[in-house]
Amino acid sequence: MPEPTVGTTPPRVMTIAGTDSGGGAGIAADLRTFAACGVHGCLAVCAVTVQNSVGVTGVHTIPVDTIAGQIGTVASDIGLQAAKTGMLANAGIIEAVAAAFDAHGIGADHATPLVVDPVAASMHGDPLLAAEALDAYRHTLFPRATVATPNLDEIRLLVEHDVHDREGQYAAAKALHALGPRAVLVKGGHLAEDSDGCLDLLYDGETFVELPGPRFDTGHTHGGGDSLAAAIASGLARGMPVEEAVRFGKRYIVEAVRHSYPLGAGHGPVSPLWALRAWWDEPVSE
């Protein structure tokens, strides 16, 4: 794909998600990824978290009319070539976001593709959403998704599949696709039983595509799911078909995990800096 010329407006992608005061996940991870992937990032804040590398100690949700207003005011002026969701916190927010998507042509049935990353479980596997919010994901947001990207803990909550092997990934992909997304990506990062690597499985209802990758011996993977979904959305915004965009995202996240770094006393973040260092490694001329 040709690189944009100087002064050309890049594709625009919106993240609809929550903040991370530690800068490693949520909207911070999405905006870092958008820049690294060559797109302009816009944002609709759904929740403000009190968070560091050890954990989350507070979540403060934004009023639903403010969330919908952020989406609408950007879509109607700046325009969007893709969107992705992260932490939506509760059923009311999910319903408001879905209505805003319909009003502004965002989602699988419209011109602007949508990546749904259902942030429903903590990195330790603990549920983050009430039952009614999980239902809203199943029946409201997933049918609007161009690609859905749950991790294995979220799959367990959404379709009650406890995945432990490759066969389980295939079964989970079918169950998730039945909820209505055009394609699903069953990520293998949490599949501890797979010692040979980290295989993600893409399924569009007809074809399975296995996307293998290395497994790194690191605990610094904070923001990995957010970053992968944001990279896929960036690929879609740049005009890639779904499989190519997912491969683009896979390449990005492999390198982001490879270059992850420690931060604070807990889990450090995956890093976009590998994609940016070409210029800041160069000597500064006088």
Side-chain angles (χ1 to χ4, degrees):
M1 177 170 295
E3 295 300 316
T5 58
V6 174
T8 300
T9 303
R12 283 81 69 200
V13 184
M14 172 170 272
T15 170
I16 304 95
T19 67
D20 172 3
S21 45
I27 283 174
D30 293 340
L31 293 179
R32 282 153 49 108
T33 299
F34 292 157
C37 292
V39 301
H40 175 85
C42 304
L43 61 145
V45 180
C46 296
V48 175
T49 72
V50 180
Q51 184 174 171
N52 58 21
S53 70
V54 178
V56 179
T57 57
V59 177
H60 305 275
T61 58
I62 304 298
V64 294
D65 57 344
T66 301
I67 297 169
Q70 291 174 89
I71 297 170
T73 196
V74 170
S76 61
D77 170 45
I78 294 172
L80 297 170
Q81 280 67 59
K84 62 90 57 183
T85 63
M87 188 185 74
L88 300 182
N90 59 51
I93 290 175
I94 294 170
E95 297 286 349
V97 166
F101 287 162
D102 291 347
H104 297 284
I106 299 168
D109 291 332
H110 301 285
T112 303
L114 171 64
V115 177
V116 173
D117 185 29
V119 180
S122 74
M123 67 183 302
H124 304 291
D126 299 319
L128 296 176
L129 296 177
E132 58 268 23
L134 292 172
D135 280 340
Y137 264 116
R138 294 184 191 103
H139 304 303
T140 302
L141 210 53
F142 270 32
R144 290 169 168 82
T146 306
V147 186
T149 62
N151 64 35
L152 298 187
D153 293 315
E154 290 155 353
I155 288 168
R156 175 173 46 81
L157 294 171
L158 288 162
V159 294
E160 299 182 347
H161 278 251
D162 204 359
V163 177
H164 294 288
D165 52 27
R166 192 79 68 246
E167 183 179 352
Q169 278 187 284
Y170 275 78
K174 291 179 179 179
L176 285 162
H177 189 267
L179 295 177
R182 301 302 180 269
V184 295
L185 183 68
V186 178
K187 298 178 292 188
H190 291 189
L191 188 59
E193 293 90 342
D194 189 354
S195 59
D196 294 332
C198 180
L199 185 137
D200 299 334
L201 183 67
L202 178 66
Y203 179 57
D204 64 2
E206 295 182 359
T207 304
F208 289 97
V209 178
E210 292 190 353
L211 301 166
R215 183 176 295 275
F216 299 103
D217 184 17
T218 178
H220 303 310
T221 57
H222 188 49
D226 304 324
S227 299
L228 173 58
I232 293 170
S234 299
L236 293 171
R238 294 175 62 176
M240 299 176 189
V242 168
E243 182 179 334
E244 184 180 349
V246 172
R247 291 185 182 278
F248 177 82
K250 176 77 175 186
R251 175 179 175 244
Y252 174 83
I253 197 60
V254 165
E255 295 304 320
V257 175
R258 189 193 307 274
H259 292 85
S260 64
Y261 51 83
L263 191 71
H267 297 279
V270 302
S271 176
L273 300 180
W274 69 272
L276 304 175
R277 68 181 303 160
W279 77 268
W280 52 260
D281 267 354
E282 293 178 358
V284 177
S285 59
E286 296 293 337

